[in-house]
Amino acid sequence: MTELKKKEVECLEDSEEHGNATPPGCKRTWDKLLCWPEADAGETLALLCPNILFHFMKEPAGIVKRNCTKKGWSDPFPPYHIACPVEDEIPLEEQSYFSTIKIIYTVGYGVSITSLIIAVTVLIAFRRLRCPRNYIHVQLFFTFILKAIAIFIKDAVLFQEEDIDHCSFSTTECKISVVFCHYFTMTNFMWLLVEALYLNCLLLSSLSHGRRYFWWLVLFGWGFPTLFTLIWILTKFYFEDTACWDINQGSPYWWLIKGPIIISVGVNFVLFINIIRILLKKLDPRQINFNNSSQYRRLSRSTLLLIPLFGTHYIVFNFLPEYTSLGVRLYLELCIGSFQGFIVAVLYCFLNQEVQTEIGRRWHGKRYGLMPVWRRTRWTVPSSSGVKMTTSVC
């Protein structure tokens, strides 16, 4: 669609430049597929089928003709669908493959949404677990939930009917669904970056100092994607308002969405290396004591398991053409990617020792008719000066 839009602009620009000098006959015109140059009355022009159709044609490129009459251009003959026959039927093998992909990612997103809702409920319900670190986890959980819901809505809008022509289908509803899908995808990557930034804050300073950055990180996690998404909406509306805004191959404006995501993944990778370096230093038996070693070890295990969530595959595929290794791309981004929310919920909530302790305390308290004593847990953490300090932050 972007290529056709460029050819249309070039054709119409040339038409305006030669508008006053056009001889009697037919003026240069664009018929949504080909640019027909000026011609004299009675002249017949023949052009090859559009280049954009070459990848989809059943036979070698044909020829389309038009007559220039006193009344103007005649209709193309033979018609485009005869001169340039396109393979419009998907082979049974591909249909089966895409159906399987859709079933897998539907199940994956369903499992992720369910597990994330449970995780959010647990982290909010227990008062002992309410702290900046878990609030950031909750924000990340929400981005995964909203991203999954946006994808379900987008599929429902774009594929509501099997015979929809996606090259011409363009409604306000489908554009809104695509916008929200891109927005929540970007917020998801930004909150993965926030997790890494906050973890660096915790490791480089005391936990009490880490709380100062919390609201700045919240503003970044939601505000940064909002800014770039709004700019992308304006550029699409004024300069590239084609189809449902879901075709981005060759579009320079797509970098407003793709660029921040790639940068966030790159920064995440650098922060990850730095986290590993700090953890290795802090896990040195000569520099730690028993009180904080288990805390750092739990932190390191969760961080190491988050490597596949940092989106390294996103960088690899986004520097390749849109349809390169489509099968592998769909498998990674849809099938495996749909279970990312479930993995995050397991790592940050279900396997969290504090969560397990709190659930166990509540369970045993109710079992024996006892109410748990609510008090803040105190952790012993090293300060920048090497002196141990206690804090009430969980």
Side-chain angles (χ1 to χ4, degrees):
M1 295 300 294
T2 304
E3 183 179 346
L4 287 177
K5 193 71 176 178
K6 290 179 180 178
K7 290 185 178 297
E8 179 185 4
V9 172
E10 292 174 0
C11 181
L12 296 179
E13 284 179 352
D14 291 341
S15 178
E16 291 176 358
E17 291 176 2
H18 300 88
N20 298 329
T22 302
C26 300
K27 295 183 179 181
R28 178 186 292 265
T29 185
W30 172 260
D31 67 353
K32 296 185 178 180
L33 285 175
L34 288 174
C35 183
W36 296 88
E38 301 89 347
D40 296 326
E43 188 177 357
T44 300
L45 296 184
L47 298 177
L48 289 174
C49 292
N51 295 337
I52 195 172
L53 299 180
F54 284 2
H55 302 290
F56 311 101
M57 291 176 60
K58 301 177 182 178
E59 303 171 359
I63 295 177
V64 182
K65 299 179 181 179
R66 293 184 77 173
N67 288 330
C68 178
T69 67
K70 294 180 179 180
K71 297 181 179 181
W73 287 106
S74 67
D75 292 333
F77 66 91
Y80 280 109
H81 69 276
I82 296 177
C84 314
V86 175
E87 188 72 52
D88 56 355
E89 294 184 0
I90 303 176
L92 292 176
E93 296 80 4
E94 290 190 16
Q95 290 183 13
S96 176
Y97 174 76
F98 289 129
S99 298
T100 303
I101 291 287
K102 186 174 182 180
I103 292 172
I104 293 174
Y105 80 71
T106 300
V107 172
Y109 282 123
V111 171
S112 293
I113 290 175
T114 304
S115 59
L116 287 165
I117 290 175
I118 296 173
V120 169
T121 304
V122 169
L123 293 181
I124 293 178
F126 292 99
R127 187 164 53 182
R128 289 173 181 262
L129 301 176
R130 298 174 191 171
C131 60
R133 177 164 54 85
N134 286 338
Y135 289 155
I136 288 179
H137 295 341
V138 169
Q139 305 283 337
L140 179 63
F141 294 168
F142 272 125
T143 64
F144 276 106
I145 293 172
L146 294 172
K147 174 186 171 183
I149 293 174
I151 289 175
F152 284 145
I153 294 175
K154 175 186 168 185
D155 285 353
V157 173
L158 292 181
F159 305 106
Q160 53 186 324
E161 297 178 9
E162 294 184 358
D163 58 346
I164 289 180
D165 181 10
H166 291 279
C167 293
S168 59
F169 181 63
S170 178
T171 63
T172 303
E173 291 80 7
C174 77
K175 292 176 182 177
I176 292 174
S177 67
V178 170
V179 166
F180 276 107
C181 191
H182 291 330
Y183 172 70
F184 289 124
T185 298
M186 193 189 298
T187 57
N188 186 233
F189 278 97
M190 291 305 137
W191 275 98
L192 283 172
L193 176 58
V194 167
E195 286 281 357
L197 287 171
Y198 191 73
L199 184 55
N200 268 265
C201 292
L202 297 186
L203 294 174
L204 292 174
S205 63
S206 69
L207 293 179
S208 58
H209 290 155
R211 298 182 67 180
R212 299 177 184 176
Y213 309 113
F214 173 72
W215 289 110
W216 288 108
L217 293 175
V218 170
L219 180 63
F220 170 79
W222 293 106
F224 193 78
T226 301
L227 174 63
F228 277 87
T229 303
L230 288 175
I231 296 174
W232 180 75
I233 291 172
L234 293 175
T235 55
K236 292 290 286 188
F237 182 78
Y238 287 107
F239 304 112
E240 201 176 75
D241 190 11
T242 57
C244 277
W245 297 357
D246 59 330
I247 301 175
N248 302 300
Q249 185 179 15
S251 172
Y253 309 115
W254 179 231
W255 282 98
L256 289 169
I257 301 294
K258 184 168 67 173
I261 293 177
I262 292 177
I263 293 173
S264 72
V265 174
V267 174
N268 239 340
F269 184 76
V270 173
L271 291 175
F272 172 75
I273 298 299
N274 189 51
I275 290 170
I276 295 299
R277 181 187 64 82
I278 296 172
L279 287 173
L280 289 176
K281 182 178 179 180
K282 290 184 180 290
L283 288 173
D284 188 346
R286 296 170 296 180
Q287 299 186 25
I288 61 174
N289 54 41
F290 181 78
N291 290 330
N292 55 37
S293 62
S294 60
Q295 182 185 357
Y296 285 132
R297 291 184 190 279
R298 291 197 305 271
L299 205 57
S300 63
R301 283 200 300 268
S302 297
T303 305
L304 287 170
L305 290 173
L306 279 176
I307 295 176
L309 297 176
F310 281 179
T312 307
H313 70 280
Y314 194 92
I315 291 182
V316 175
F317 282 114
N318 275 278
F319 284 105
L320 297 175
E322 187 76 15
Y323 297 102
T324 302
S325 303
L326 185 60
V328 179
R329 184 197 296 264
L330 289 176
Y331 185 76
L332 286 175
E333 293 186 357
L334 294 179
C335 294
I336 296 180
S338 63
F339 286 94
Q340 283 185 337
F342 170 71
I343 296 173
V344 170
V346 170
L347 291 178
Y348 281 144
C349 182
F350 304 141
L351 293 182
N352 188 310
Q353 188 172 348
E354 297 167 17
V355 173
Q356 294 174 353
T357 301
E358 212 45 46
I359 292 176
R361 181 182 289 111
R362 176 63 66 89
W363 170 259
H364 290 299
K366 287 187 176 182
R367 184 178 179 182
Y368 295 107
L370 302 173
M371 292 300 295
V373 179
W374 294 106
R375 60 183 180 83
R376 302 294 293 260
T377 303
R378 299 177 71 85
W379 297 95
T380 303
V381 298
S383 67
S384 56
S385 62
V387 179
K388 289 192 297 183
M389 4 177 351
T390 57
T391 176
S392 60
V393 180
C394 65

